[in-house]
Amino acid sequence: MTRKYIDCREYPSEMNCSVALAADSEKELLEAAVQHATTVHKHTDSPELRSQLKSLFHDGTPPVETPRRA
């Protein structure tokens, strides 16, 4: 099983969010990412948001150093 992560530091935002989330399953990571996106970034939970978030997942764990922005 490969750990998956998503890192807000890769994407510009007004709040300069530095949160990175990781999980052992894509399903678990998606639920955490949706909760973060809707609660912190005020996005609306939708199939489009979930699809977009899934496309931003990486294998492994988030780097310690700030990654390059998308």
Coordinates of all heavy atoms in Angstrom, one line a residue:
M1 N 0.8 -1.2 0.0 CA 0.0 0.0 0.0 C 0.9 1.2 0.0 O 1.8 1.4 0.8 CB -0.9 0.0 1.2 CG -1.7 1.2 1.4 SD -2.7 1.3 2.9 CE -3.2 -0.4 3.2
T2 N 0.6 2.2 -0.9 CA 1.4 3.4 -1.0 C 0.7 4.5 -0.3 O -0.5 4.8 -0.6 CB 1.6 3.8 -2.5 OG1 2.3 2.7 -3.1 CG2 2.5 5.0 -2.6
R3 N 1.3 5.2 0.6 CA 0.7 6.4 1.2 C 0.5 7.5 0.2 O 1.2 7.6 -0.8 CB 1.7 6.8 2.3 CG 1.0 7.7 3.3 CD 1.7 7.6 4.7 NE 1.2 8.5 5.6 CZ 0.2 8.4 6.4 NH1 -0.5 7.3 6.3 NH2 -0.2 9.3 7.3
K4 N -0.5 8.3 0.4 CA -0.9 9.4 -0.5 C -0.9 10.7 0.2 O -1.2 10.7 1.4 CB -2.3 9.1 -1.2 CG -2.4 7.8 -1.9 CD -2.3 8.1 -3.4 CE -2.6 6.8 -4.1 NZ -1.9 6.8 -5.4
Y5 N -0.7 11.8 -0.5 CA -0.8 13.1 0.2 C -1.2 14.2 -0.8 O -1.2 14.0 -2.0 CB 0.6 13.5 0.8 CG 1.6 14.0 -0.1 CD1 1.8 15.3 -0.4 CD2 2.5 13.1 -0.7 CE1 2.7 15.8 -1.3 CE2 3.5 13.5 -1.6 CZ 3.6 14.9 -1.9 OH 4.6 15.3 -2.8
I6 N -1.7 15.3 -0.2 CA -2.0 16.5 -0.9 C -1.4 17.6 0.0 O -1.4 17.6 1.2 CB -3.5 16.6 -1.1 CG1 -3.8 17.8 -2.0 CG2 -4.3 16.7 0.2 CD1 -5.3 17.9 -2.5
D7 N -0.9 18.7 -0.7 CA -0.2 19.7 0.0 C -0.7 21.1 -0.5 O -0.5 21.4 -1.6 CB 1.3 19.5 -0.3 CG 2.2 20.4 0.6 OD1 1.8 21.4 1.1 OD2 3.4 19.9 0.8
C8 N -1.3 21.8 0.4 CA -1.8 23.2 0.1 C -0.7 24.1 -0.3 O -1.0 25.1 -1.0 CB -2.6 23.7 1.2 SG -4.3 23.2 1.4
R9 N 0.5 23.9 0.1 CA 1.6 24.8 -0.2 C 1.9 24.9 -1.7 O 2.5 25.8 -2.2 CB 2.9 24.4 0.5 CG 2.8 24.5 2.0 CD 4.0 23.9 2.7 NE 4.2 22.5 2.3 CZ 5.2 21.8 2.7 NH1 6.2 22.3 3.5 NH2 5.3 20.5 2.4
E10 N 1.4 23.9 -2.5 CA 1.6 23.8 -3.9 C 0.7 24.8 -4.7 O 0.9 25.0 -5.9 CB 1.4 22.4 -4.5 CG 2.4 21.4 -4.0 CD 2.1 20.0 -4.5 OE1 1.2 19.8 -5.3 OE2 2.9 19.1 -4.2
Y11 N -0.4 25.3 -4.0 CA -1.4 26.0 -4.7 C -1.6 27.4 -4.0 O -1.8 27.5 -2.8 CB -2.7 25.2 -4.7 CG -2.4 23.9 -5.2 CD1 -2.2 22.8 -4.3 CD2 -2.3 23.7 -6.6 CE1 -1.9 21.6 -4.8 CE2 -1.9 22.4 -7.0 CZ -1.7 21.4 -6.2 OH -1.4 20.1 -6.6
P12 N -1.5 28.5 -4.8 CA -1.6 29.8 -4.3 C -3.0 30.0 -3.6 O -4.0 29.5 -4.1 CB -1.5 30.7 -5.5 CG -1.1 29.9 -6.6 CD -1.3 28.5 -6.3
S13 N -3.0 30.7 -2.5 CA -4.2 31.1 -1.8 C -4.0 32.4 -1.1 O -2.8 32.7 -0.7 CB -4.7 30.0 -0.9 OG -3.9 29.9 0.3
E14 N -5.0 33.1 -0.8 CA -4.9 34.3 0.0 C -4.4 34.1 1.4 O -3.7 35.0 1.9 CB -6.3 35.0 0.1 CG -6.7 35.6 -1.3 CD -8.1 36.2 -1.2 OE1 -8.6 36.5 0.0 OE2 -8.7 36.5 -2.2
M15 N -4.6 32.9 1.9 CA -4.2 32.7 3.3 C -2.8 32.0 3.4 O -2.4 31.7 4.5 CB -5.3 31.8 4.0 CG -5.5 30.5 3.4 SD -6.8 29.5 4.1 CE -7.5 30.4 5.4
N16 N -2.2 31.7 2.3 CA -0.9 31.0 2.3 C -1.0 29.8 3.1 O -0.1 29.6 4.0 CB 0.2 32.0 2.7 CG 0.4 33.0 1.6 OD1 0.4 32.8 0.4 ND2 0.6 34.3 2.1
C17 N -1.9 28.9 2.9 CA -2.1 27.7 3.7 C -0.9 26.8 3.6 O -0.4 26.6 2.5 CB -3.4 27.0 3.2 SG -3.8 25.6 4.2
S18 N -0.5 26.3 4.7 CA 0.7 25.4 4.8 C 0.3 24.0 5.2 O 1.2 23.2 5.5 CB 1.7 26.0 5.7 OG 1.3 26.0 7.0
V19 N -1.0 23.6 5.1 CA -1.4 22.3 5.5 C -1.1 21.3 4.5 O -1.3 21.5 3.3 CB -2.9 22.3 5.8 CG1 -3.5 20.9 6.0 CG2 -3.2 23.2 7.0
A20 N -0.6 20.1 4.9 CA -0.4 19.0 4.1 C -1.1 17.8 4.8 O -1.0 17.7 6.0 CB 1.1 18.7 3.8
L21 N -1.8 17.0 4.0 CA -2.6 15.9 4.5 C -2.1 14.6 3.9 O -1.8 14.6 2.7 CB -4.1 16.0 4.2 CG -4.8 17.3 4.8 CD1 -6.1 17.4 4.1 CD2 -4.9 17.2 6.3
A22 N -1.9 13.5 4.7 CA -1.5 12.3 4.2 C -2.4 11.2 4.8 O -2.9 11.3 5.9 CB 0.0 12.0 4.5
A23 N -2.6 10.1 4.0 CA -3.3 8.9 4.5 C -2.9 7.7 3.8 O -2.2 7.7 2.7 CB -4.8 9.2 4.3
D24 N -3.3 6.5 4.4 CA -2.9 5.2 3.8 C -3.8 4.9 2.6 O -3.5 4.0 1.8 CB -2.9 4.1 4.8 CG -1.8 4.3 5.8 OD1 -0.7 4.9 5.4 OD2 -1.9 3.7 6.9
S25 N -5.0 5.5 2.5 CA -5.9 5.2 1.4 C -6.4 6.5 0.7 O -6.5 7.5 1.4 CB -7.1 4.4 1.9 OG -8.0 5.2 2.6
E26 N -6.7 6.3 -0.6 CA -7.2 7.5 -1.3 C -8.5 7.9 -0.8 O -8.8 9.1 -0.7 CB -7.3 7.1 -2.8 CG -7.4 8.2 -3.7 CD -7.2 7.8 -5.2 OE1 -6.1 7.7 -5.6 OE2 -8.3 7.6 -5.8
K27 N -9.4 7.0 -0.4 CA -10.7 7.3 0.2 C -10.6 8.2 1.4 O -11.2 9.2 1.6 CB -11.5 6.1 0.4 CG -12.8 6.3 1.0 CD -13.6 5.0 1.2 CE -15.0 5.3 1.9 NZ -15.7 4.1 2.2
E28 N -9.7 7.8 2.3 CA -9.5 8.5 3.6 C -8.9 9.9 3.3 O -9.3 10.9 3.9 CB -8.6 7.7 4.5 CG -8.4 8.3 5.9 CD -7.5 7.5 6.8 OE1 -6.7 6.6 6.3 OE2 -7.6 7.7 8.0
L29 N -7.9 10.0 2.4 CA -7.3 11.2 2.1 C -8.4 12.2 1.4 O -8.4 13.4 1.8 CB -6.1 11.1 1.1 CG -5.4 12.3 0.7 CD1 -5.0 13.1 1.9 CD2 -4.3 12.0 -0.2
L30 N -9.2 11.6 0.6 CA -10.2 12.5 -0.1 C -11.2 13.1 0.9 O -11.5 14.2 0.9 CB -11.0 11.7 -1.1 CG -12.0 12.4 -1.9 CD1 -11.4 13.6 -2.7 CD2 -12.8 11.5 -2.9
E31 N -11.6 12.3 1.9 CA -12.6 12.8 2.9 C -11.9 13.9 3.7 O -12.5 14.9 4.0 CB -13.1 11.7 3.8 CG -14.0 10.7 3.0 CD -15.1 11.4 2.3 OE1 -15.8 12.3 2.9 OE2 -15.4 11.0 1.1
A32 N -10.6 13.7 4.1 CA -9.9 14.7 4.9 C -9.7 16.0 4.0 O -9.9 17.1 4.5 CB -8.6 14.2 5.4
A33 N -9.4 15.8 2.8 CA -9.1 17.0 1.9 C -10.4 17.7 1.6 O -10.4 19.0 1.6 CB -8.5 16.5 0.6
V34 N -11.5 17.0 1.4 CA -12.8 17.7 1.2 C -13.2 18.5 2.5 O -13.6 19.7 2.4 CB -13.9 16.7 0.9 CG1 -15.3 17.3 1.0 CG2 -13.7 16.2 -0.5
Q35 N -13.0 17.9 3.6 CA -13.3 18.6 4.9 C -12.5 19.8 5.0 O -12.9 20.9 5.4 CB -13.1 17.7 6.1 CG -13.6 18.3 7.4 CD -13.6 17.3 8.5 OE1 -13.1 16.2 8.5 NE2 -14.3 17.7 9.6
H36 N -11.2 19.7 4.7 CA -10.3 20.9 4.8 C -10.7 22.0 3.8 O -10.8 23.2 4.2 CB -8.8 20.5 4.6 CG -7.9 21.6 4.5 ND1 -7.5 22.3 5.7 CD2 -7.2 22.2 3.5 CE1 -6.6 23.2 5.3 NE2 -6.5 23.2 4.0
A37 N -10.9 21.6 2.6 CA -11.3 22.5 1.5 C -12.6 23.3 1.8 O -12.7 24.5 1.6 CB -11.4 21.8 0.2
T38 N -13.6 22.6 2.4 CA -14.8 23.2 2.7 C -14.8 24.0 3.9 O -15.4 25.1 4.0 CB -16.0 22.2 2.8 OG1 -15.7 21.2 3.8 CG2 -16.2 21.5 1.4
T39 N -14.1 23.6 5.0 CA -14.1 24.3 6.2 C -13.1 25.5 6.2 O -13.5 26.6 6.6 CB -13.7 23.3 7.4 OG1 -14.6 22.2 7.4 CG2 -13.7 24.0 8.7
V40 N -11.9 25.3 5.7 CA -10.9 26.3 5.8 C -11.0 27.2 4.6 O -10.9 28.4 4.7 CB -9.5 25.6 5.9 CG1 -8.4 26.7 5.8 CG2 -9.4 24.8 7.2
H41 N -11.1 26.6 3.4 CA -11.0 27.4 2.1 C -12.4 27.8 1.6 O -12.5 28.5 0.6 CB -10.2 26.7 1.1 CG -8.8 26.5 1.5 ND1 -7.9 27.5 1.5 CD2 -8.2 25.4 1.9 CE1 -6.7 27.0 1.9 NE2 -6.9 25.7 2.2
K42 N -13.5 27.4 2.3 CA -14.9 27.7 2.0 C -15.3 27.3 0.6 O -16.2 27.9 0.0 CB -15.1 29.3 2.1 CG -14.7 29.8 3.5 CD -15.4 29.2 4.6 CE -15.0 29.8 5.9 NZ -15.2 28.9 7.0
H43 N -14.8 26.2 0.1 CA -15.2 25.6 -1.2 C -16.5 24.8 -0.9 O -16.8 24.5 0.3 CB -14.2 24.6 -1.8 CG -13.0 25.3 -2.2 ND1 -12.9 26.1 -3.4 CD2 -11.7 25.3 -1.7 CE1 -11.7 26.5 -3.5 NE2 -10.9 26.1 -2.6
T44 N -17.3 24.6 -1.9 CA -18.5 23.8 -1.8 C -18.2 22.4 -2.1 O -17.6 22.1 -3.2 CB -19.6 24.4 -2.7 OG1 -19.9 25.7 -2.3 CG2 -20.9 23.6 -2.6
D45 N -18.6 21.4 -1.3 CA -18.5 20.0 -1.6 C -19.3 19.7 -2.8 O -20.5 19.9 -2.9 CB -18.9 19.2 -0.4 CG -18.5 17.7 -0.6 OD1 -18.0 17.3 -1.7 OD2 -18.8 16.9 0.3
S46 N -18.6 19.2 -3.8 CA -19.3 18.8 -5.1 C -18.5 17.7 -5.8 O -17.3 17.5 -5.4 CB -19.4 20.0 -6.0 OG -18.1 20.4 -6.5
P47 N -19.1 17.0 -6.7 CA -18.4 16.0 -7.5 C -17.1 16.6 -8.2 O -16.1 16.0 -8.3 CB -19.4 15.4 -8.5 CG -20.7 15.7 -7.8 CD -20.6 17.0 -7.1
E48 N -17.3 17.8 -8.6 CA -16.2 18.5 -9.3 C -15.0 18.8 -8.4 O -13.9 18.6 -8.7 CB -16.7 19.8 -10.0 CG -17.6 19.7 -11.1 CD -19.1 19.4 -10.7 OE1 -19.4 19.6 -9.5 OE2 -19.9 18.9 -11.5
L49 N -15.4 19.3 -7.2 CA -14.3 19.5 -6.2 C -13.6 18.2 -5.8 O -12.4 18.2 -5.8 CB -14.9 20.1 -4.9 CG -13.9 20.3 -3.7 CD1 -12.8 21.3 -4.1 CD2 -14.6 20.6 -2.4
R50 N -14.3 17.1 -5.6 CA -13.7 15.9 -5.3 C -12.8 15.4 -6.4 O -11.7 14.8 -6.1 CB -14.8 14.8 -4.9 CG -15.5 15.1 -3.6 CD -16.7 14.3 -3.3 NE -17.2 14.5 -2.0 CZ -16.8 13.9 -0.9 NH1 -16.0 12.9 -0.9 NH2 -17.3 14.2 0.3
S51 N -13.3 15.5 -7.6 CA -12.5 15.1 -8.8 C -11.2 15.9 -8.9 O -10.1 15.4 -9.1 CB -13.3 15.2 -10.1 OG -12.5 14.9 -11.2
Q52 N -11.3 17.2 -8.6 CA -10.1 18.1 -8.7 C -9.2 17.7 -7.6 O -8.0 17.7 -7.8 CB -10.6 19.6 -8.6 CG -9.4 20.5 -8.7 CD -9.8 22.0 -8.5 OE1 -10.8 22.3 -7.8 NE2 -9.1 22.9 -9.1
L53 N -9.7 17.6 -6.4 CA -8.8 17.2 -5.3 C -8.0 15.9 -5.6 O -6.8 15.8 -5.4 CB -9.5 17.1 -4.0 CG -10.0 18.4 -3.4 CD1 -11.0 18.2 -2.2 CD2 -8.9 19.3 -3.0
K54 N -8.8 14.9 -6.1 CA -8.1 13.6 -6.4 C -7.0 13.7 -7.4 O -6.0 13.0 -7.3 CB -9.2 12.6 -6.9 CG -10.0 12.0 -5.8 CD -11.0 11.0 -6.3 CE -10.3 9.7 -6.7 NZ -11.3 8.6 -7.0
S55 N -7.2 14.7 -8.3 CA -6.2 14.8 -9.4 C -4.9 15.5 -8.8 O -3.8 15.5 -9.4 CB -6.7 15.7 -10.5 OG -6.8 17.1 -10.1
L56 N -5.0 16.0 -7.6 CA -3.8 16.7 -6.9 C -3.1 15.8 -6.0 O -2.1 16.2 -5.4 CB -4.3 17.9 -6.2 CG -5.1 18.9 -7.1 CD1 -5.6 20.1 -6.2 CD2 -4.2 19.5 -8.2
F57 N -3.5 14.5 -5.8 CA -2.9 13.6 -4.9 C -1.5 13.1 -5.5 O -1.3 13.0 -6.7 CB -3.7 12.3 -4.7 CG -5.0 12.5 -3.9 CD1 -5.9 11.5 -3.7 CD2 -5.3 13.8 -3.3 CE1 -7.0 11.7 -3.0 CE2 -6.5 14.0 -2.6 CZ -7.3 12.9 -2.4
H58 N -0.6 12.9 -4.5 CA 0.7 12.4 -4.9 C 1.0 11.1 -4.1 O 0.4 10.9 -3.0 CB 1.8 13.4 -4.5 CG 1.7 14.7 -5.1 ND1 2.0 15.0 -6.4 CD2 1.3 15.9 -4.6 CE1 1.8 16.3 -6.6 NE2 1.4 16.9 -5.6
D59 N 1.8 10.3 -4.6 CA 2.3 9.1 -3.8 C 3.3 9.5 -2.8 O 4.1 10.4 -3.1 CB 2.8 8.0 -4.7 CG 1.8 7.3 -5.6 OD1 0.6 7.3 -5.2 OD2 2.1 6.8 -6.6
G60 N 3.4 8.9 -1.7 CA 4.4 9.1 -0.7 C 3.9 10.0 0.5 O 2.7 10.0 0.8
T61 N 4.8 10.8 1.0 CA 4.5 11.8 2.1 C 4.9 13.2 1.7 O 5.8 13.3 0.9 CB 5.2 11.3 3.4 OG1 6.6 11.3 3.2 CG2 4.6 10.0 3.9
P62 N 4.3 14.2 2.3 CA 4.7 15.6 1.9 C 6.1 15.9 2.2 O 6.7 15.4 3.2 CB 3.7 16.4 2.8 CG 2.7 15.5 3.3 CD 3.3 14.1 3.3
P63 N 6.8 16.7 1.4 CA 8.1 17.1 1.6 C 8.2 18.0 2.8 O 7.2 18.8 3.0 CB 8.6 17.7 0.3 CG 7.3 18.2 -0.3 CD 6.3 17.2 0.1
V64 N 9.3 18.1 3.5 CA 9.5 19.1 4.5 C 9.6 20.5 3.9 O 9.1 21.4 4.4 CB 10.8 18.7 5.4 CG1 11.1 19.8 6.4 CG2 10.6 17.4 6.1
E65 N 10.4 20.6 2.9 CA 10.6 21.9 2.2 C 9.4 22.2 1.5 O 8.6 21.4 1.0 CB 11.8 21.8 1.3 CG 13.1 21.5 1.9 CD 13.5 22.5 2.9 OE1 13.4 23.7 2.7 OE2 14.0 22.2 4.0
T66 N 9.1 23.5 1.3 CA 7.9 24.0 0.5 C 8.1 23.6 -0.9 O 9.1 23.9 -1.6 CB 7.8 25.5 0.6 OG1 7.7 25.9 2.0 CG2 6.6 26.0 -0.1
P67 N 7.1 22.9 -1.5 CA 7.2 22.5 -2.9 C 6.9 23.6 -3.8 O 6.4 24.7 -3.4 CB 6.1 21.4 -3.0 CG 5.2 21.7 -1.9 CD 6.0 22.4 -0.8
R68 N 7.3 23.5 -5.1 CA 7.0 24.5 -6.1 C 5.5 24.6 -6.2 O 4.8 23.6 -6.2 CB 7.7 24.2 -7.4 CG 9.2 24.4 -7.4 CD 9.7 24.4 -8.7 NE 10.0 23.0 -9.1 CZ 10.3 22.7 -10.3 NH1 10.3 23.5 -11.3 NH2 10.6 21.4 -10.5
R69 N 5.1 25.8 -6.5 CA 3.6 26.0 -6.7 C 3.2 25.6 -8.1 O 4.0 25.7 -9.1 CB 3.3 27.5 -6.5 CG 3.5 27.9 -5.1 CD 2.9 29.3 -4.8 NE 3.2 29.6 -3.4 CZ 2.3 29.6 -2.5 NH1 1.1 29.1 -2.7 NH2 2.6 29.9 -1.3
A70 N 2.0 25.2 -8.2 CA 1.4 24.7 -9.5 C 1.3 25.8 -10.5 O 1.2 27.0 -10.1 CB 0.1 24.0 -9.3

